[in-house]
PDB file of all heavy atoms in Angstrom:
ATOM      1  N   PHE A   6      21.864   3.925   4.104  1.00  0.00           N
ATOM      2  CA  PHE A   6      20.871   4.770   3.565  1.00  0.00           C
ATOM      3  C   PHE A   6      19.552   4.521   4.296  1.00  0.00           C
ATOM      4  O   PHE A   6      19.415   3.604   5.037  1.00  0.00           O
ATOM      5  CB  PHE A   6      20.678   4.558   1.986  1.00  0.00           C
ATOM      6  CG  PHE A   6      20.177   3.197   1.595  1.00  0.00           C
ATOM      7  CD1 PHE A   6      18.740   2.979   1.522  1.00  0.00           C
ATOM      8  CD2 PHE A   6      21.050   2.170   1.394  1.00  0.00           C
ATOM      9  CE1 PHE A   6      18.305   1.747   1.146  1.00  0.00           C
ATOM     10  CE2 PHE A   6      20.569   0.900   1.020  1.00  0.00           C
ATOM     11  CZ  PHE A   6      19.174   0.678   0.846  1.00  0.00           C
ATOM     12  N   SER A   7      18.595   5.458   4.100  1.00  0.00           N
ATOM     13  CA  SER A   7      17.259   5.272   4.743  1.00  0.00           C
ATOM     14  C   SER A   7      16.228   5.111   3.670  1.00  0.00           C
ATOM     15  O   SER A   7      16.413   5.473   2.545  1.00  0.00           O
ATOM     16  CB  SER A   7      16.957   6.431   5.665  1.00  0.00           C
ATOM     17  OG  SER A   7      16.857   7.645   4.866  1.00  0.00           O
ATOM     18  N   ILE A   8      15.138   4.498   4.132  1.00  0.00           N
ATOM     19  CA  ILE A   8      14.005   4.225   3.203  1.00  0.00           C
ATOM     20  C   ILE A   8      12.662   4.732   3.801  1.00  0.00           C
ATOM     21  O   ILE A   8      12.511   4.781   5.005  1.00  0.00           O
ATOM     22  CB  ILE A   8      13.821   2.777   2.839  1.00  0.00           C
ATOM     23  CG1 ILE A   8      13.686   1.894   4.048  1.00  0.00           C
ATOM     24  CG2 ILE A   8      15.028   2.278   2.018  1.00  0.00           C
ATOM     25  CD1 ILE A   8      13.243   0.436   3.827  1.00  0.00           C
ATOM     26  N   VAL A   9      11.785   5.085   2.958  1.00  0.00           N
ATOM     27  CA  VAL A   9      10.360   5.343   3.229  1.00  0.00           C
ATOM     28  C   VAL A   9       9.630   4.595   2.100  1.00  0.00           C
ATOM     29  O   VAL A   9      10.113   4.439   0.980  1.00  0.00           O
ATOM     30  CB  VAL A   9       9.997   6.815   3.291  1.00  0.00           C
ATOM     31  CG1 VAL A   9      10.790   7.550   4.345  1.00  0.00           C
ATOM     32  CG2 VAL A   9      10.123   7.511   1.960  1.00  0.00           C
ATOM     33  N   ALA A  10       8.421   4.207   2.404  1.00  0.00           N
ATOM     34  CA  ALA A  10       7.549   3.587   1.410  1.00  0.00           C
ATOM     35  C   ALA A  10       6.448   4.517   0.924  1.00  0.00           C
ATOM     36  O   ALA A  10       5.959   5.386   1.691  1.00  0.00           O
ATOM     37  CB  ALA A  10       6.865   2.280   2.000  1.00  0.00           C
ATOM     38  N   ALA A  11       6.105   4.366  -0.351  1.00  0.00           N
ATOM     39  CA  ALA A  11       5.021   5.162  -0.959  1.00  0.00           C
ATOM     40  C   ALA A  11       4.099   4.205  -1.705  1.00  0.00           C
ATOM     41  O   ALA A  11       4.512   3.398  -2.465  1.00  0.00           O
ATOM     42  CB  ALA A  11       5.562   6.266  -1.867  1.00  0.00           C
ATOM     43  N   HIS A  12       2.823   4.348  -1.412  1.00  0.00           N
ATOM     44  CA  HIS A  12       1.833   3.524  -2.041  1.00  0.00           C
ATOM     45  C   HIS A  12       0.750   4.461  -2.734  1.00  0.00           C
ATOM     46  O   HIS A  12       0.213   5.363  -2.006  1.00  0.00           O
ATOM     47  CB  HIS A  12       1.140   2.643  -1.062  1.00  0.00           C
ATOM     48  CG  HIS A  12       0.040   1.828  -1.621  1.00  0.00           C
ATOM     49  ND1 HIS A  12       0.191   0.651  -2.299  1.00  0.00           N
ATOM     50  CD2 HIS A  12      -1.317   2.019  -1.584  1.00  0.00           C
ATOM     51  CE1 HIS A  12      -1.012   0.225  -2.707  1.00  0.00           C
ATOM     52  NE2 HIS A  12      -1.922   1.007  -2.240  1.00  0.00           N
ATOM     53  N   LEU A  13       0.442   4.156  -3.979  1.00  0.00           N
ATOM     54  CA  LEU A  13      -0.688   4.918  -4.637  1.00  0.00           C
ATOM     55  C   LEU A  13      -1.846   3.941  -4.897  1.00  0.00           C
ATOM     56  O   LEU A  13      -1.693   2.945  -5.555  1.00  0.00           O
ATOM     57  CB  LEU A  13      -0.245   5.575  -5.957  1.00  0.00           C
ATOM     58  CG  LEU A  13      -1.298   6.400  -6.595  1.00  0.00           C
ATOM     59  CD1 LEU A  13      -0.843   7.809  -6.885  1.00  0.00           C
ATOM     60  CD2 LEU A  13      -1.890   5.736  -7.810  1.00  0.00           C
ATOM     61  N   ASN A  14      -3.010   4.232  -4.313  1.00  0.00           N
ATOM     62  CA  ASN A  14      -4.238   3.464  -4.557  1.00  0.00           C
ATOM     63  C   ASN A  14      -4.895   4.053  -5.743  1.00  0.00           C
ATOM     64  O   ASN A  14      -5.299   5.207  -5.770  1.00  0.00           O
ATOM     65  CB  ASN A  14      -5.118   3.522  -3.321  1.00  0.00           C
ATOM     66  CG  ASN A  14      -6.372   2.808  -3.426  1.00  0.00           C
ATOM     67  OD1 ASN A  14      -6.917   2.540  -4.549  1.00  0.00           O
ATOM     68  ND2 ASN A  14      -6.998   2.432  -2.311  1.00  0.00           N
ATOM     69  N   HIS A  15      -5.004   3.272  -6.822  1.00  0.00           N
ATOM     70  CA  HIS A  15      -5.600   3.723  -8.105  1.00  0.00           C
ATOM     71  C   HIS A  15      -7.126   3.816  -8.073  1.00  0.00           C
ATOM     72  O   HIS A  15      -7.684   4.328  -9.054  1.00  0.00           O
ATOM     73  CB  HIS A  15      -5.167   2.745  -9.241  1.00  0.00           C
ATOM     74  CG  HIS A  15      -3.734   2.835  -9.558  1.00  0.00           C
ATOM     75  ND1 HIS A  15      -2.792   1.953  -8.968  1.00  0.00           N
ATOM     76  CD2 HIS A  15      -3.024   3.538 -10.459  1.00  0.00           C
ATOM     77  CE1 HIS A  15      -1.611   2.182  -9.443  1.00  0.00           C
ATOM     78  NE2 HIS A  15      -1.685   3.149 -10.339  1.00  0.00           N
ATOM     79  N   GLY A  16      -7.705   3.293  -7.036  1.00  0.00           N
ATOM     80  CA  GLY A  16      -9.176   3.330  -6.907  1.00  0.00           C
ATOM     81  C   GLY A  16      -9.870   2.594  -8.015  1.00  0.00           C
ATOM     82  O   GLY A  16     -11.018   2.885  -8.396  1.00  0.00           O
ATOM     83  N   LEU A  17      -9.247   1.577  -8.582  1.00  0.00           N
ATOM     84  CA  LEU A  17      -9.803   0.827  -9.725  1.00  0.00           C
ATOM     85  C   LEU A  17     -10.447  -0.472  -9.262  1.00  0.00           C
ATOM     86  O   LEU A  17     -11.385  -0.953  -9.972  1.00  0.00           O
ATOM     87  CB  LEU A  17      -8.682   0.490 -10.719  1.00  0.00           C
ATOM     88  CG  LEU A  17      -8.147   1.650 -11.448  1.00  0.00           C
ATOM     89  CD1 LEU A  17      -6.905   1.193 -12.312  1.00  0.00           C
ATOM     90  CD2 LEU A  17      -9.205   2.254 -12.424  1.00  0.00           C
ATOM     91  N   ARG A  18      -9.990  -1.121  -8.234  1.00  0.00           N
ATOM     92  CA  ARG A  18     -10.470  -2.480  -7.890  1.00  0.00           C
ATOM     93  C   ARG A  18     -11.017  -2.474  -6.414  1.00  0.00           C
ATOM     94  O   ARG A  18     -10.455  -1.721  -5.610  1.00  0.00           O
ATOM     95  CB  ARG A  18      -9.433  -3.543  -8.018  1.00  0.00           C
ATOM     96  CG  ARG A  18      -8.907  -3.641  -9.464  1.00  0.00           C
ATOM     97  CD  ARG A  18      -7.733  -4.594  -9.636  1.00  0.00           C
ATOM     98  NE  ARG A  18      -6.526  -4.021  -8.984  1.00  0.00           N
ATOM     99  CZ  ARG A  18      -5.923  -4.412  -7.960  1.00  0.00           C
ATOM    100  NH1 ARG A  18      -6.301  -5.463  -7.342  1.00  0.00           N
ATOM    101  NH2 ARG A  18      -4.855  -3.823  -7.483  1.00  0.00           N
ATOM    102  N   PRO A  19     -11.989  -3.324  -6.117  1.00  0.00           N
ATOM    103  CA  PRO A  19     -12.476  -3.355  -4.727  1.00  0.00           C
ATOM    104  C   PRO A  19     -11.413  -3.759  -3.741  1.00  0.00           C
ATOM    105  O   PRO A  19     -11.409  -3.323  -2.639  1.00  0.00           O
ATOM    106  CB  PRO A  19     -13.595  -4.450  -4.811  1.00  0.00           C
ATOM    107  CG  PRO A  19     -13.923  -4.583  -6.231  1.00  0.00           C
ATOM    108  CD  PRO A  19     -12.793  -4.129  -7.068  1.00  0.00           C
ATOM    109  N   GLU A  20     -10.448  -4.570  -4.174  1.00  0.00           N
ATOM    110  CA  GLU A  20      -9.439  -5.038  -3.261  1.00  0.00           C
ATOM    111  C   GLU A  20      -8.307  -4.045  -3.026  1.00  0.00           C
ATOM    112  O   GLU A  20      -7.399  -4.254  -2.256  1.00  0.00           O
ATOM    113  CB  GLU A  20      -8.843  -6.427  -3.703  1.00  0.00           C
ATOM    114  CG  GLU A  20      -8.241  -6.402  -5.063  1.00  0.00           C
ATOM    115  CD  GLU A  20      -9.169  -6.695  -6.163  1.00  0.00           C
ATOM    116  OE1 GLU A  20     -10.390  -6.699  -6.030  1.00  0.00           O
ATOM    117  OE2 GLU A  20      -8.686  -7.063  -7.313  1.00  0.00           O
ATOM    118  N   ALA A  21      -8.308  -2.937  -3.699  1.00  0.00           N
ATOM    119  CA  ALA A  21      -7.334  -1.850  -3.583  1.00  0.00           C
ATOM    120  C   ALA A  21      -7.157  -1.361  -2.175  1.00  0.00           C
ATOM    121  O   ALA A  21      -6.042  -1.116  -1.724  1.00  0.00           O
ATOM    122  CB  ALA A  21      -7.616  -0.736  -4.563  1.00  0.00           C
ATOM    123  N   ALA A  22      -8.283  -1.194  -1.464  1.00  0.00           N
ATOM    124  CA  ALA A  22      -8.202  -0.721  -0.111  1.00  0.00           C
ATOM    125  C   ALA A  22      -7.477  -1.753   0.782  1.00  0.00           C
ATOM    126  O   ALA A  22      -6.670  -1.338   1.681  1.00  0.00           O
ATOM    127  CB  ALA A  22      -9.625  -0.398   0.453  1.00  0.00           C
ATOM    128  N   GLY A  23      -7.704  -2.972   0.553  1.00  0.00           N
ATOM    129  CA  GLY A  23      -7.041  -4.035   1.302  1.00  0.00           C
ATOM    130  C   GLY A  23      -5.552  -4.089   1.018  1.00  0.00           C
ATOM    131  O   GLY A  23      -4.758  -4.358   1.932  1.00  0.00           O
ATOM    132  N   GLU A  24      -5.192  -3.889  -0.243  1.00  0.00           N
ATOM    133  CA  GLU A  24      -3.796  -3.890  -0.579  1.00  0.00           C
ATOM    134  C   GLU A  24      -3.086  -2.657   0.071  1.00  0.00           C
ATOM    135  O   GLU A  24      -1.948  -2.818   0.550  1.00  0.00           O
ATOM    136  CB  GLU A  24      -3.622  -3.744  -2.144  1.00  0.00           C
ATOM    137  CG  GLU A  24      -4.046  -4.964  -2.844  1.00  0.00           C
ATOM    138  CD  GLU A  24      -4.153  -4.845  -4.405  1.00  0.00           C
ATOM    139  OE1 GLU A  24      -4.166  -3.721  -4.848  1.00  0.00           O
ATOM    140  OE2 GLU A  24      -4.317  -5.886  -5.015  1.00  0.00           O
ATOM    141  N   GLU A  25      -3.731  -1.498   0.110  1.00  0.00           N
ATOM    142  CA  GLU A  25      -3.163  -0.364   0.750  1.00  0.00           C
ATOM    143  C   GLU A  25      -2.936  -0.677   2.291  1.00  0.00           C
ATOM    144  O   GLU A  25      -1.901  -0.356   2.802  1.00  0.00           O
ATOM    145  CB  GLU A  25      -4.121   0.838   0.553  1.00  0.00           C
ATOM    146  CG  GLU A  25      -3.584   2.118   1.257  1.00  0.00           C
ATOM    147  CD  GLU A  25      -4.473   3.266   0.972  1.00  0.00           C
ATOM    148  OE1 GLU A  25      -5.371   3.239   0.095  1.00  0.00           O
ATOM    149  OE2 GLU A  25      -4.244   4.342   1.539  1.00  0.00           O
ATOM    150  N   LEU A  26      -3.953  -1.247   2.881  1.00  0.00           N
ATOM    151  CA  LEU A  26      -3.801  -1.628   4.297  1.00  0.00           C
ATOM    152  C   LEU A  26      -2.693  -2.614   4.510  1.00  0.00           C
ATOM    153  O   LEU A  26      -1.904  -2.543   5.504  1.00  0.00           O
ATOM    154  CB  LEU A  26      -5.120  -2.163   4.822  1.00  0.00           C
ATOM    155  CG  LEU A  26      -5.193  -2.430   6.347  1.00  0.00           C
ATOM    156  CD1 LEU A  26      -4.977  -1.191   7.124  1.00  0.00           C
ATOM    157  CD2 LEU A  26      -6.621  -2.998   6.707  1.00  0.00           C
ATOM    158  N   PHE A  27      -2.564  -3.545   3.590  1.00  0.00           N
ATOM    159  CA  PHE A  27      -1.497  -4.581   3.724  1.00  0.00           C
ATOM    160  C   PHE A  27      -0.062  -3.804   3.609  1.00  0.00           C
ATOM    161  O   PHE A  27       0.798  -4.178   4.429  1.00  0.00           O
ATOM    162  CB  PHE A  27      -1.587  -5.612   2.525  1.00  0.00           C
ATOM    163  CG  PHE A  27      -0.403  -6.513   2.435  1.00  0.00           C
ATOM    164  CD1 PHE A  27      -0.134  -7.468   3.411  1.00  0.00           C
ATOM    165  CD2 PHE A  27       0.437  -6.463   1.361  1.00  0.00           C
ATOM    166  CE1 PHE A  27       0.947  -8.336   3.318  1.00  0.00           C
ATOM    167  CE2 PHE A  27       1.533  -7.308   1.248  1.00  0.00           C
ATOM    168  CZ  PHE A  27       1.682  -8.234   2.218  1.00  0.00           C
ATOM    169  N   VAL A  28       0.049  -2.823   2.742  1.00  0.00           N
ATOM    170  CA  VAL A  28       1.264  -2.136   2.623  1.00  0.00           C
ATOM    171  C   VAL A  28       1.550  -1.323   3.939  1.00  0.00           C
ATOM    172  O   VAL A  28       2.684  -1.399   4.465  1.00  0.00           O
ATOM    173  CB  VAL A  28       1.284  -1.164   1.429  1.00  0.00           C
ATOM    174  CG1 VAL A  28       2.522  -0.241   1.489  1.00  0.00           C
ATOM    175  CG2 VAL A  28       1.293  -1.935   0.092  1.00  0.00           C
ATOM    176  N   ILE A  29       0.512  -0.674   4.439  1.00  0.00           N
ATOM    177  CA  ILE A  29       0.684   0.034   5.735  1.00  0.00           C
ATOM    178  C   ILE A  29       1.102  -0.833   6.829  1.00  0.00           C
ATOM    179  O   ILE A  29       1.997  -0.510   7.574  1.00  0.00           O
ATOM    180  CB  ILE A  29      -0.618   0.819   6.022  1.00  0.00           C
ATOM    181  CG1 ILE A  29      -0.859   1.917   5.027  1.00  0.00           C
ATOM    182  CG2 ILE A  29      -0.616   1.380   7.474  1.00  0.00           C
ATOM    183  CD1 ILE A  29      -2.267   2.517   5.090  1.00  0.00           C
ATOM    184  N   ASN A  30       0.412  -2.027   7.028  1.00  0.00           N
ATOM    185  CA  ASN A  30       0.762  -2.910   8.028  1.00  0.00           C
ATOM    186  C   ASN A  30       2.162  -3.507   7.926  1.00  0.00           C
ATOM    187  O   ASN A  30       2.837  -3.735   8.900  1.00  0.00           O
ATOM    188  CB  ASN A  30      -0.289  -4.031   8.154  1.00  0.00           C
ATOM    189  CG  ASN A  30      -1.655  -3.508   8.655  1.00  0.00           C
ATOM    190  OD1 ASN A  30      -1.772  -2.499   9.309  1.00  0.00           O
ATOM    191  ND2 ASN A  30      -2.692  -4.258   8.251  1.00  0.00           N
ATOM    192  N   THR A  31       2.532  -3.812   6.729  1.00  0.00           N
ATOM    193  CA  THR A  31       3.900  -4.380   6.463  1.00  0.00           C
ATOM    194  C   THR A  31       4.927  -3.337   6.884  1.00  0.00           C
ATOM    195  O   THR A  31       5.905  -3.730   7.501  1.00  0.00           O
ATOM    196  CB  THR A  31       4.066  -4.853   5.005  1.00  0.00           C
ATOM    197  OG1 THR A  31       3.018  -5.780   4.625  1.00  0.00           O
ATOM    198  CG2 THR A  31       5.459  -5.421   4.735  1.00  0.00           C
ATOM    199  N   CYS A  32       4.727  -2.117   6.492  1.00  0.00           N
ATOM    200  CA  CYS A  32       5.675  -1.087   6.836  1.00  0.00           C
ATOM    201  C   CYS A  32       5.697  -0.825   8.358  1.00  0.00           C
ATOM    202  O   CYS A  32       6.803  -0.717   8.889  1.00  0.00           O
ATOM    203  CB  CYS A  32       5.249   0.208   6.089  1.00  0.00           C
ATOM    204  SG  CYS A  32       5.575   0.187   4.332  1.00  0.00           S
ATOM    205  N   GLN A  33       4.514  -0.888   9.005  1.00  0.00           N
ATOM    206  CA  GLN A  33       4.566  -0.726  10.517  1.00  0.00           C
ATOM    207  C   GLN A  33       5.342  -1.859  11.120  1.00  0.00           C
ATOM    208  O   GLN A  33       6.082  -1.611  12.081  1.00  0.00           O
ATOM    209  CB  GLN A  33       3.100  -0.761  10.959  1.00  0.00           C
ATOM    210  CG  GLN A  33       2.381   0.583  10.755  1.00  0.00           C
ATOM    211  CD  GLN A  33       0.942   0.570  11.199  1.00  0.00           C
ATOM    212  OE1 GLN A  33       0.350  -0.501  11.402  1.00  0.00           O
ATOM    213  NE2 GLN A  33       0.350   1.727  11.305  1.00  0.00           N
TER     214      GLN A  33
END
């Protein structure tokens, strides 16, 4: 099977942008 990742940034916490970048970098 194949996979893609999906991340939703809730815009609630200052560290949310860093978490999003971490997900993007891990996927890359």
Side-chain angles (χ1 to χ4, degrees):
F6 64 91
S7 63
I8 58 171
V9 301
H12 175 83
L13 184 127
N14 180 337
H15 292 90
L17 290 171
R18 297 174 289 113
E20 59 271 16
E24 291 168 347
E25 182 176 349
L26 186 59
F27 172 68
V28 170
I29 291 167
N30 290 337
T31 303
C32 288
Q33 285 177 342

